[in-house]
Amino acid sequence: MKDISLNALVADRTYRIVITADDESDVRGLLKIINDKILEFKSVYAGKDMQDFVSITLLWFISEYAQSQKEEKANPLMAERLKTICDRIQNKTIDLVQILNEERHEP
């Protein structure tokens, strides 16, 4: 894969980074999210300096990441629970069909 240089603007500072060409759109998207959050926090928390806004944004980003990790770990557990419920429903449906068939054939 081809590496490219990118001027990444974060909180009014430019950082030259090297990324793969395939990652360019993802990195640009993340930079936009980060800068948008900095601006959002800047409008909410007046009287802070840029370092505070970067720190708040970092804390927000990490908390979002931690939440996504929790959800990712919970999904296999949810899938297993759903499978168990579906299996129970299927078994009860089979039992019900057997009972109805037996009642139909009784004299």
Side-chain angles (χ1 to χ4, degrees):
M1 296 197 193
K2 185 179 178 194
D3 289 341
I4 61 169
S5 293
L6 179 73
N7 289 325
L9 179 66
V10 176
D12 301 329
R13 289 192 179 194
T14 303
Y15 302 93
R16 189 147 185 86
I17 60 175
V18 177
I19 59 173
T20 63
D22 292 342
D23 292 337
E24 182 180 8
S25 65
D26 292 337
V27 171
R28 288 187 187 277
L30 287 171
L31 290 170
K32 180 173 178 5
I33 291 169
I34 289 167
N35 285 306
D36 288 350
K37 276 295 174 185
I38 289 171
L39 289 174
E40 179 185 326
F41 290 132
K42 213 174 183 182
S43 68
V44 173
Y45 302 107
K48 303 286 184 182
D49 66 7
M50 191 56 77
Q51 180 65 42
D52 292 328
F53 300 126
V54 170
S55 297
I56 293 167
T57 301
L58 178 61
L59 290 170
W60 169 82
F61 197 78
I62 292 299
S63 68
E64 289 291 310
Y65 176 76
Q67 183 63 35
S68 71
Q69 291 297 100
K70 279 184 187 177
E71 290 170 3
E72 192 174 299
K73 288 178 183 176
N75 284 339
L77 180 59
M78 184 63 71
E80 185 60 36
R81 286 181 181 166
L82 287 174
K83 183 184 179 316
T84 300
I85 291 169
C86 287
D87 289 345
R88 284 181 175 172
I89 291 170
Q90 184 177 8
N91 290 338
K92 294 299 180 187
T93 303
I94 291 169
D95 291 345
L96 183 58
V97 168
Q98 287 174 347
I99 290 170
L100 290 173
N101 284 335
E102 288 172 4
E103 288 178 358
R104 192 180 301 160
H105 295 319
E106 286 182 1

